[in-house]
Amino acid sequence: MVEPDGLRYTKLPLNNGSGAMPALGFGTLIPDLIETKNATKAALEAGFRQLDASERYRNEKEVGAALQEVFEAGKINRQDVFIATKLWNNNHRPERVRPAFEASLEKLRLDYVDLYLIHTPFAFQPGDEQDPRDATGNVIYDKEVTLLDTWRALEGLVGEGKCGAIGLSDISLEQVKEIVGAARIKPAVVHVESHPYLPQWELLDYCRKNGIVLQAFAALGHSSEPNLLDDPVITAIARRVNKTPAQVLLAWAIQRGTALLTTSKTPGRIKENFELSTLPEHAMREISEGIERRVRFNAVVETGVPGFIPRKA
Ligand SMILES: NC(=O)c1ccc[n+]([C@@H]2O[C@H](COP(=O)([O-])OP(=O)(O)OC[C@H]3O[C@@H](n4cnc5c(N)ncnc54)[C@H](OP(=O)(O)O)[C@@H]3O)[C@@H](O)[C@H]2O)c1
């Protein structure tokens, strides 16, 4: 195996003077609560310094417990970890934003988060139910609030020392443009599914030109079929550069200028996903230009209903 290099420590500057974000990130969308805590600790101990959480994952408490144990052990400081969480669809009404934000901070046992994202642009019926449905099982949307209303409420959180930066998730280029055009504080981060089967070049180009970090989730394709880790272009490069297919995909994401999120419950894979080495230019080109297959694994962008979280019975 080739020795890892400095690629894994890449940081991306955020607009509005809100510091910089480590490109390589660990996501906490892990259904089992014990596994959430163990994996979060393992990720920090392996070297990950960017974490993604969400009130919708219903495990912020376990992420918070892991953070507290790691910070108390004294080897990693709070200010060395970039922590994000997200506002869920049932909390889009402006008066619900601050309470939801404060509740996330409390569960995460943090005084501040580095980034707060609107999880999706879809507003659901306001209330405590995260998955409101009518009698026929259809989602109940909230027509009384716009994304800009919610964005303005997020803008109100910035500058008080509890929220470093704000951003959007599961959003289209057109919607990002609308918010950028109307915002007092522009989004620092746009968080969307992205990998070689969904490279989002147009959105990435727009983000670059506007000083916005594009953060790619499902960077390994979420173990879904067709499996990116088995793609012949990726496996051939992996053999050539003496890295694993996962390491090739993560390096590609950083080298093309995105932040990324990957997730694993498996300690060996968590370590593997941190041990990255820079890919040669020709490998970057082979992935960017040679892979033509297009697959979106997560349909959350169409309805606001999470694609990777099973519906409760
Ligand atoms: N905003 C949104 O709507 C949204 C949607 C989805 C995800 N996200 C965020 O993005 C994060 C990452 O998404 P994701 O779960 O789709 O990430 P991913 O890294 O593409 O997929 C995770 C899957 O890959 C497997 N895996 C991880 N490392 C591996 C390796 N080295 N070799 C082989 N398999 C490996 C994991 O298996 P094991 O766990 O079994 O090891 C798991 O099944 C989430 O945790 C969440 O924070 C956001």
Side-chain angles (χ1 to χ4, degrees), residues 27-29 52 57 86 119 169-170 191 217-223 229 246 261-266 269 272-273 298 300 308:
T28 61
L29 174 46
D52 176 67
Y57 302 161
K86 314 188 205 73
H119 200 142
S169 159
D170 294 329
H191 165 128
F217 77 72
L220 302 180
H222 195 71
S223 295
L229 296 167
L261 287 167
T262 182
T263 293
S264 176
K265 307 176 288 296
T266 318
R269 287 177 173 172
E272 172 188 333
N273 294 348
N298 193 325
V300 60
F308 295 166

Side-chain angles (χ1 to χ4, degrees), residues 230-242:
D230 296 333
D231 185 280
V233 173
I234 301 296
T235 54
I237 293 172
R239 274 194 300 276
R240 244 175 28 230
V241 301
N242 220 351

